[in-house]
Amino acid sequence: MFQFGKCAKGNACMYAHVVDPNFKPKRRALCHAIARGRPCPRGDACPYSHDPVSTEDGNAAQTRRTSSNATDETTTRDLLMRWRFKIPRDARERQKTPTVNLAEFFGQALELVAAGAETMQQVINTLASDGGRFRMDQLLKDRDFASVDDGTLGIIWRSQLLPLLQILAHENVLASRVIEVTHGTLLNELYGTNGNRAVQVFTAVLRCLTMDAAVQPDDFETSLLVLAGVLVMNGSAHVNPGFQGVCETFVAIAESQTMSGLASSHLLKIQIRLGIGKDLPEASNSKTKLKAPLTMRPDFVVKQDLPGEMSDDGPRHDNDHADIRDIQILPTLQEIQSDRVEYLPRGNSEEWHTQGIAGLIDRHFRLVREDTVGQLRDVAKFEYEHLQNPMLVRQERRQGARTHTYRNVQLAHVHFDEQRGLQVALSFDQPPELRNMSATKRRTWWEDSMRLGSDALVCLLSSDGSATFLVVAMPALPVPLSTDANTQALPKPLHEGYSLSADPKTSHVIAHLADPEDDATELLARFGPGQDGIQRSLIEFPGVVLPAFEPTLKALQQMADTLDLPFANLLSQGGREPDVLPPAYARKEGFQTNLGSLTGDNSPLRLRQDQQFGADTLLQNSTLDVAQQRAIIHALTHQVALIQGPPGTGKSYSGIKIIQVLLDNKTAGKLGPIVCVCYTNHALDQLLEHLLDSGVTQVIRIGSRSKSEKLAQVNLRSVAMKHDLTKYEKEQRYKARCAIEAQAASIDGLLENLQKAGNYAHVERYLDRYHTTTHAQLFAKEDEHGWRRAGQGGSAGSLKDWLAGGARQHHTRVRSLGTLQSPDQDLFAMSHEERKMLLDYWVRDNAEGLRNELAIYLKAYGAEKERLDEIRGELDVRVLSEANVIGVTTSGLARNLKHLRKLKSKVLVVEEAGEVLEAHLLTAMLPSVEHAILIGDHQQLRPRVQNYDLSCENPRSQVGLDISLFERLVQPRQGNGERALPFVTLETQRRMHPLISQLIRSTLYRNLQDAPSVAEYPEVSGMRHRLFWLDHKQKEDGKNEHMHTTSHINTFEVQMVTSLVSHLVRQGVYRAEDIAVLTPYLGQLRKLRTALSGVVEVVLNGRDVDDLAREGVDEASTANNNLPNGTVLQAAEAPTDSLAPRNKITRGNLLQALRLATVDNFQGEEAKVVVVSLVRSNDQRKCGFLRTSNRINVLLSRAQHGMYVIGNSATSAHIPMWREVLQMMSEHGNLGVSLALCCPRHPEILLEVSEPDHFKTVAPEAGCSLIIDARQPVMGTMSRALSAMPPAKFDAVIPNATRGAMSPVLRALRFNALRVVSIPLANCGTEGVKDLRADMLEMKTYREVDLDETPCIFTQCGHVFTVETLDGLMSIADHYTVDANGVPLAVKGNSEPFSYEELKACPDCRGSLRNIARYGRIVRRALLDEATKKFISWSNRAYVPLAERLQKEQGGLLTSADRLQFARGNIVLERGRGVQMEIINELKSTNGRYKPLLKLRKDVRDFMQKVSKEEQPFQRVRDMVETVRRRAVFDADTPTFDFDQTILQTRGHLLATALLIRCDLIGISDLVSAWERLPPTPNKPGLKVNFSANRIDCGLLTEQAEKSMNRLQQVESHVFWAQFAALELSVMYGPADGRQDMVRTMDELRRVAHTRLDMAKDLCRQYPGQTANVVQEADEVRRMLDESTTNSEMRMVVAAMATEFSGTGHWYRCVNGHPFTIGECGMPMQTARCPQCDARIGGEHHQAEDGVTHAGDIERDFGGLHL
């Protein structure tokens, strides 16, 4: 204290009073009271500093420390607290002299805004408060900037004004949706009264920006963003002359600036709103100006009927507008009824009703809407006309969307869900064909038909003139049972009460409004009182899903409002010469693009935009070819880069390299996340997987339809779950949820009242509230004369009596409703008809009032739901902003546009851009984008359109909706005045053999080159030519009139393709995924799928699955037991590695099986061999889909090694591209009426086929007939040798034999149940194969083996061995009875358990031999042994953690037993154990106490199911075999599958059963013990128990354990039985229980329990080694019986049990081969017996019995296995 001059002890102080020259007093923090400008109440006693000046440097230092360590949460929180102290809390504080340094105040605020979302939200909300705006006023209101000199203004600008603008324009602030309102408050504060403050402030800003010679770009953009925000927030700003002048100055300065995409979009907003600037789009954004004649060109010639008011005939309907922002997405009733043709802008922009970017957006909105909604409109019109006049003869409507119509629609129920909103259950007539079906068949029919599935779009039409679009609701997810006893029982899910199939006469569907903005009460009113007699129909549009097009249309409407589309001068040229500049970020001074990642060795290489770049450096080390390098440089130097990638040229590879370069420059260019957009989910998955494989991190995928497991962890939802909400967001979420909960209660009440609006009691309340005079007259107990009214029984009686009265025949006409409503009217003088009319009015008026009130609550609910969505969106934006790459589909981007527009993403990369509708790409152009890279090929598939009238393929169409933006920019249509943008074409293809690539090189890509590697492709095995067109004249099938489809079928081609594919697969060279079958039609796809499913595995492209679903139930699913659409049919002959039956239907991916697809869905894919079915074959030469070069291009460019086209050349020859292709193929001998095959062993033999059956005779074994002929003697001998034997129970191998072979010898062999090898000999003809070593005994090669004497076998891995070699390797004599020559005669008896200790493999490569039928029994039995060993090890290891968890849960219950409280009411524990545990859990007194125990109980039950007998490998195989036998799938003599039953492992199931009973005992004992501890007061709840069912379970366990000789479980079962008895006795015993019958029952129960314990004790003495763990437990239960109490602290002994299966335990086999495990040292310590067969397994002193062997294979292979 001396150093401070404050030592009070003086000379008495024990410390020296010497001045320290180096002493520096520690600076104290400033007192909070002083900081606020108030006197400190502590005075000198305050421990904090009262000197603001002395702490100023400290505060600055603290600020610097916070800046240098922004991640320090504590420091940031401290800074936020101190900053808040600078804001006055009330008017009294605001009146005091300010002591706050404004520079420091706004500087710290900016620092906090940049620190993160948490502090940013608090700062913005605080600034928007009264105190925060007071500080802003101190800067903005109390200063006259005009009178300040430049020097002072510059200081104010840098220290105060610029930080404030930076706060308002900060990316964290602009990206936040939850603070949009408060941010708008701050912008309004900046605008001031009448905009005078904004004029003064921004005039000062302009002075500051222009003080220096050059304008600082960052400062200018910051000011521009705030200026645009102020303009948007204040609608009158654009008419303020002073403010307009400021804006004009900003626009003038901007013309000389290089700005970011975000700043450019805000500049465009200013220009549009004020009508200034040279780049202003030709059409104004104002709706009034849009419709004014001034926007039209003077020489405009109207060739179309224009939209809305611009039409000469007026609007077509109430949804026909010139401004697309006024158009509803879904059609209105007037639109449905309209007969006039809709306005569709044509391709020539000069004919549009509005020009420029606005016209471009308008055009694509109308066209996309017509392509989707137009079909629905036309179909709805057709049905509406039928409703209006049911007797009208119906004409066939024009081809359009498929529909299903349901009649007699009624409102069955209205339901409100807090998550899903208002839902309605609609009833309609069950389809006639279902009314006589059973409920199960009806349910199957609805499921298979896929009708009215989740998210299906439907339209409700009424004859009274209404149309409502609805969406079928998704079934609610199952809600787990609540563990809170105070929680009310959950209502029954709506889908369970209202289903499609439950009722034989009526179906129900649950739906909600398609447009949340629609008034749901209007829908309810249409079913309300007075709506009887109205006919209603429900129209379903299969395959039409609202999310597929609605987000895009809404996004276009939003863009029409803002017109903030980047690259406007390039996308809508308006006759101007396009000038494609480098990206805006690359034009910044000093920016250089780092190309190091392209050089291969990461050598330094920089690209400057203002210099010519040479690719020589790249060529030295890069893996890119010249065209790819040129494409990448082009992409990096053009703001809109177009890269054309012909088939196989590496478009995706180039795109990945571009992204890698951009990521290397992300920081330097402030690029933000790179947005990657693809049209399909499959393409997006591939792109993102390749990026991850190349080392790119921070990748996020938006959307839930990914099939990639690799991308599961980078899905937006998965990543967002790892982030937490900010404090402000949590508060807002809580408030929103509370509000929704309150609104839901009110809505439920209103719906209930609305349902009872006609109830007399409700009518009385209505009259009492709104018609008091009427109520008094109607419900008065006495009349005006004082007489008491008779017959009144409350409100119901009064109304009923009144309604029944009145004259039935009135001499005068019925008075009007207005007259009857008069208060002066005598209600009792009214006629009967008048009374009914008045009551109907009251009911209707009451219902209308309730609906009006309901509408208010629904609107409030919608606002709160939107609030919750914004909070979740805020979190999503934060997560996305941290990403390097964001992947999303075009439709997903439109759905998430609100979030993505908040990002500062400067780069957009679009894959397969030529396949994307221009509308989708326009919505992908985020306002912040400065660089768009479009990669695609306009000469491949165009975008899909539903309406052929809108396609450019239609010669009558002037629209061309399916022309992509990529194609329009690369190849503009003539007459539009547009010019092509520069683009680069990749030129080296690495996919097709030159003979195949020549087809597209000569027709489309003149400069296409072949990589050297493609010329080295091998020939197609089994084929004479690698490219061939099989020409035929077989006509296509006639159309099926019952199918609503335009598809086509050619049965001949189906059969031909099936035979050819079978021939190719049997070569043994190609894996199934190497072959693809393509066809242009879904009808042919269905037929091919059915035919090929019996030959190979078939996988459908995911998009084809969806297309088939839209077509409805197809023949393939019908042919395969009505299996669901889109499944993968797995062939019976295909090899398998699993024990599952091969006819199981699963959904697969393109890498698992042969690929079958339509042409349109195979773009971007490839296969080694492609087989094409053209389908069309007719005299009219109608080529169908394949008449355009785009589809032909895709079709011809998918094959790598070979391609085979099957079709009628005459049908296609008139198409120009087909004509050239046919000419080339004819010149090279690749066109003919017969297809040439090739036998690899006898290539000189000519084999030709022209019919499907020819394959069986010409190439019966996928080779040639010479092989069969040469083998006849040997096969005949073998056949004679086998004919004397009974039907074989084993598999033999005959070289080259196949199931389809025609040889009589093979037929004889098959009759003897001989199976054949799956890899045929026809593959053996190559020189390499002939040099393989085949005989391991004599070391002969395959070339040296005499096949007539020694048959050979080809393995799946490609090696070949003699039968003798493999027989010896497989030890066939050990498993079969053989003759003297080693020929198998019969199967030996059942082999011992686990005798197949080694799984044999190929001698050369250790490849699997499991697919060789001859050794199938041996290999598969070994596999079953392996599986059983794995099962044993797993079951034991899985048991241990369950037992340990039970011990933990019991310990928790014992330590917290005193905290268990009981509520009033009796407790009854009866019936089964599961019911008892549920009752305990649901007691209000438990408060979730037993929830963990019940969770464990469920896990134990699951484990018990997994270890049951039925789930074990041997039993499962036996069940499958028996199923096949019962179905007679194979021959009648299919052998049974017999095995030693002792191999089934019962121990795991017994352990699980005992553990489950123990689990229940713990819970019940805990409850009973707690009940016993209650004092015997009158309020003590009653407890009634009956554990007879529990004891029966224990008895069953006793029987099972005794039968399997599991002594431990046998003892446990006796102890459990006795313990349940003890528990029941403790509850039964009491003072009131003295009845003799009760006493006898208790004595008998106690006696049997003691007997059980005696039996347990005897077993413990006999088997001490197995039962030592439960001896103490049995003694404790005996004490419980004797004392009739459960007051026990006994804990379960499971630690020793766990040790049995873990730690140092070892596996052994008993003398009979059964496995068992021993803990501790590794050998038995006591006399013990095998738990399976009771054989002795251990003596004393760690000595095993004779015959016990160490099971090393189990320890070695499965010892470390975990579940």
Side-chain angles (χ1 to χ4, degrees), residues 208 296 518 578 693 760 847 858 881 1086-1087 1127 1180 1325 1404 1738:
C208 298
M296 306 302 299
D518 288 348
D693 293 340
Y760 288 156
L858 288 175
S881 63
R1086 286 192 293 267
K1087 291 291 187 181
T1127 56
Q1180 295 77 26
D1404 284 350

Side-chain angles (χ1 to χ4, degrees), residues 27-28 52-70 72 75-76 78-79 82 86 101 104 108 111:
R27 186 176 288 109
R28 293 179 293 168
V53 177
S54 66
T55 60
E56 181 177 357
D57 295 339
N59 291 337
Q62 180 64 34
T63 302
R64 287 193 298 272
R65 285 195 298 271
T66 305
S67 300
S68 62
N69 189 17
D72 188 347
T75 306
T76 302
D78 180 65
L79 177 62
R82 290 188 288 106
K86 299 177 183 178
N101 184 335
E104 183 180 71
Q108 290 178 344
E111 183 178 351

Side-chain angles (χ1 to χ4, degrees), residues 402-427:
R402 275 193 331 118
T403 60
H404 303 301
T405 304
Y406 310 98
R407 315 282 186 195
N408 191 24
V409 180
Q410 301 294 331
L411 180 64
H413 182 68
V414 183
H415 174 73
F416 181 79
D417 184 271
E418 292 184 13
Q419 299 295 327
R420 302 162 182 264
L422 194 70
Q423 296 179 331
V424 294
L426 301 176
S427 66

Side-chain angles (χ1 to χ4, degrees), residues 1261 1267-1268 1271 1275 1293-1297 1306 1317 1321 1351-1353 1363:
E1261 301 175 27
I1267 299 176
I1268 295 294
R1271 302 284 304 284
M1275 292 186 178
V1293 177
I1294 306 300
N1296 292 302
L1306 292 179
V1317 64
L1321 191 62
C1352 290
I1353 298 175
V1363 172

Side-chain angles (χ1 to χ4, degrees), residues 708-924:
S708 170
E709 295 181 2
K710 185 182 296 185
L711 300 179
Q713 296 302 315
V714 299
N715 186 275
L716 175 59
R717 293 271 59 84
S718 299
V719 178
M721 289 177 63
K722 302 175 184 177
H723 290 66
D724 199 5
L725 297 175
T726 64
K727 180 180 178 180
Y728 176 74
E729 290 165 352
K730 291 178 181 178
E731 292 174 354
Q732 294 299 308
R733 182 180 63 179
Y734 175 75
K735 292 178 181 178
R737 287 178 173 175
C738 291
I740 288 177
E741 186 176 348
Q743 290 155 4
S746 300
I747 292 172
D748 287 338
L750 287 170
L751 289 175
E752 184 178 358
N753 291 337
L754 190 59
Q755 186 179 4
K756 301 176 181 178
N759 185 286
Y760 288 156
H762 284 73
V763 172
E764 182 196 359
R765 286 197 291 269
Y766 159 77
L767 293 175
D768 186 37
R769 183 176 181 182
Y770 297 105
H771 303 279
T772 55
T773 304
T774 302
H775 180 271
Q777 183 183 169
L778 187 58
F779 296 98
K781 296 182 179 180
E782 296 179 355
D783 62 12
E784 67 274 14
H785 303 294
W787 293 96
R788 186 175 184 85
R789 299 189 189 276
Q792 292 193 10
S795 60
S798 298
L799 274 174
K800 185 176 182 181
D801 293 342
W802 175 77
L803 186 60
R808 301 283 174 171
Q809 306 232 337
H810 211 282
H811 298 295
T812 60
R813 64 182 180 84
V814 177
R815 290 170 288 180
S816 68
L817 185 61
T819 303
L820 297 177
Q821 288 182 269
S822 174
D824 300 333
Q825 289 292 326
D826 184 357
L827 295 176
F828 293 93
M830 294 180 181
S831 68
H832 183 71
E833 291 298 325
E834 289 174 337
R835 298 184 187 199
K836 287 182 60 179
M837 183 171 65
L838 188 57
L839 180 62
D840 289 343
Y841 164 74
W842 290 338
V843 172
R844 291 197 307 272
D845 192 50
N846 184 25
E848 184 177 358
L850 292 172
R851 285 194 296 268
N852 292 337
E853 192 174 357
L854 178 63
I856 296 173
Y857 280 101
L858 288 175
K859 186 174 182 180
Y861 163 78
E864 295 300 334
K865 280 292 291 182
E866 186 176 355
R867 187 176 172 190
L868 284 178
D869 293 340
E870 288 180 354
I871 293 172
R872 190 178 77 163
E874 185 82 358
L875 179 61
D876 290 346
V877 170
R878 287 203 299 275
V879 172
L880 293 173
S881 63
E882 299 174 1
N884 286 329
V885 176
I886 298 173
V888 63
T889 60
T890 52
S891 58
L893 185 142
R895 285 194 296 270
N896 294 273
L897 197 58
K898 278 187 177 180
H899 307 331
L900 295 173
R901 289 175 72 92
K902 294 290 185 180
L903 301 175
K904 299 188 71 173
S905 297
K906 296 184 178 181
V907 181
L908 171 71
V909 179
V910 182
E911 282 265 8
E912 296 292 356
E915 201 177 352
V916 181
L917 282 172
E918 181 167 351
H920 291 153
L921 278 188
L922 292 180
T923 59

Side-chain angles (χ1 to χ4, degrees), residues 1704 1706 1708 1718-1728 1737-1746 1748:
T1704 60
H1706 297 274
Y1708 295 88
I1718 296 176
E1720 304 301 331
C1721 72
M1723 287 301 292
M1725 298 176 62
Q1726 297 172 322
T1727 302
I1737 57 175
E1740 298 179 355
H1741 310 297
H1742 306 278
Q1743 296 297 318
E1745 291 289 334
D1746 293 339
V1748 174

